[in-house]
Amino acid sequence: MTAKGLRQFLTPDQQRDWLEGGKPPDTSERTESVEQRFKYVARFEKLLRRPQAQEVLAILRLYGENCIPIPRRTERFYWSVSCLPSTSDKPLVRVNASWMELFTLLPDGEDLRARFIVHLSDFISDGSPEPDHLDEALLDQCVERPGDVSHFFWKADTLGVKVRGSGSIRKFLATPHSLRAIRRFNLTHMNRGRNAYQASHCYSVADAMFGD
């Protein structure tokens, strides 16, 4: 059977090592479509005119460095980032893999709010996917103030976490427990196969994620 998803690039041991904070070697080159790059230049320029633009790009760089394994090798085909996607919640950027949303940044006045999708079981002390066992105190510890975090239950073992404010978003990305939860969910979906959102990938936003 042919391996799919990240299994083509990383062994199970390498994936487990990355989950715990390791750094598997990535390529130094990026595969790029010039047509795809120019397709979203106007949207990127529009994003740069938003008051939250620089903070969006800074947070995305943290996300790219810490939450996506071998991001250069898997760019567009196994994960993607959309710029000002045309959905009803009017996000600024969204990161996807397979058929799944992973991370979204939205405006909140002149600040930001974020939506993280993780496994529910990562925030339950006994590891079960039972909504009534959710450890809300643990969620509160992953942000600056308890009022900055809320949640919603999705299908099966899936939890949506909403975080308000750039400071709390950054803390959620840096706290070991929530960071591991983000990584585990991303591994799950990057292993499911090719990214369904390749056509909406914005190379200009990805440049900022890589510091290019």
Side-chain angles (χ1 to χ4, degrees), residues 116-132:
F116 297 89
I117 311 296
V118 297
H119 289 296
L120 172 59
S121 52
D122 280 319
F123 284 92
I124 292 179
S125 56
D126 63 7
S128 68
E130 298 298 329
D132 58 346

Side-chain angles (χ1 to χ4, degrees), residues 4-211:
K4 65 179 184 178
L6 283 176
R7 299 179 189 90
Q8 298 171 81
F9 313 108
L10 298 176
T11 66
D13 284 345
Q14 287 175 313
Q15 291 190 35
R16 282 190 291 271
D17 182 61
W18 177 78
L19 185 62
E20 300 301 335
K23 289 283 186 182
D26 198 2
T27 181
S28 59
E29 302 295 327
R30 294 166 63 191
T31 302
E32 183 177 320
S33 161
V34 175
E35 179 183 1
Q36 180 80 11
R37 173 174 286 280
F38 283 103
K39 184 177 180 180
Y40 293 106
V41 166
R43 286 197 193 187
F44 181 66
E45 291 173 347
K46 185 177 179 181
L47 173 67
L48 292 180
R49 294 194 290 271
R50 300 293 293 261
Q52 309 93 339
Q54 294 309 309
E55 188 65 11
V56 166
L57 298 180
I59 287 173
L60 274 176
R61 184 164 187 183
L62 288 175
Y63 191 91
E65 288 175 350
N66 296 294
C67 302
I68 301 175
I70 54 171
R72 291 174 182 268
R73 189 178 301 181
T74 55
E75 181 181 6
R76 187 182 174 197
F77 298 106
Y78 293 93
W79 68 272
S80 62
V81 59
S82 303
C83 182
L84 301 175
S86 303
T87 53
S88 59
D89 52 349
K90 298 183 179 179
L92 299 171
V93 292
R94 175 173 290 138
V95 179
N96 292 288
S98 184
W99 291 93
M100 194 71 190
E101 169 190 338
L102 303 179
F103 175 58
T104 301
L105 284 172
L106 307 102
D108 188 26
E110 293 200 354
D111 202 355
L112 294 169
R113 54 194 170 95
R115 183 168 57 238
F116 297 89
I117 311 296
V118 297
H119 289 296
L120 172 59
S121 52
D122 280 319
F123 284 92
I124 292 179
S125 56
D126 63 7
S128 68
E130 298 298 329
D132 58 346
H133 292 182
L134 178 67
D135 190 340
E136 295 189 37
L138 178 56
L139 272 176
D140 289 344
Q141 293 167 17
C142 296
V143 295
E144 290 187 333
R145 297 171 296 274
D148 288 345
V149 67
S150 60
H151 65 273
F152 60 93
F153 299 113
W154 206 351
K155 56 189 176 182
D157 184 21
T158 310
L159 177 71
V161 181
K162 298 179 179 180
V163 180
R164 292 190 63 182
S166 299
S168 281
I169 294 168
R170 287 174 176 272
K171 184 173 180 183
F172 199 84
L173 285 166
T175 300
H177 189 95
S178 47
L179 177 59
R180 190 182 189 282
I182 293 166
R183 287 179 166 181
R184 192 166 83 91
F185 190 83
N186 291 3
L187 278 178
T188 295
H189 289 277
M190 290 181 72
N191 272 318
R192 288 193 167 170
R194 287 259 178 163
N195 174 32
Y197 298 90
Q198 296 174 34
S200 67
H201 183 60
C202 179
Y203 281 103
S204 299
V205 175
D207 291 346
M209 294 175 73
F210 295 127

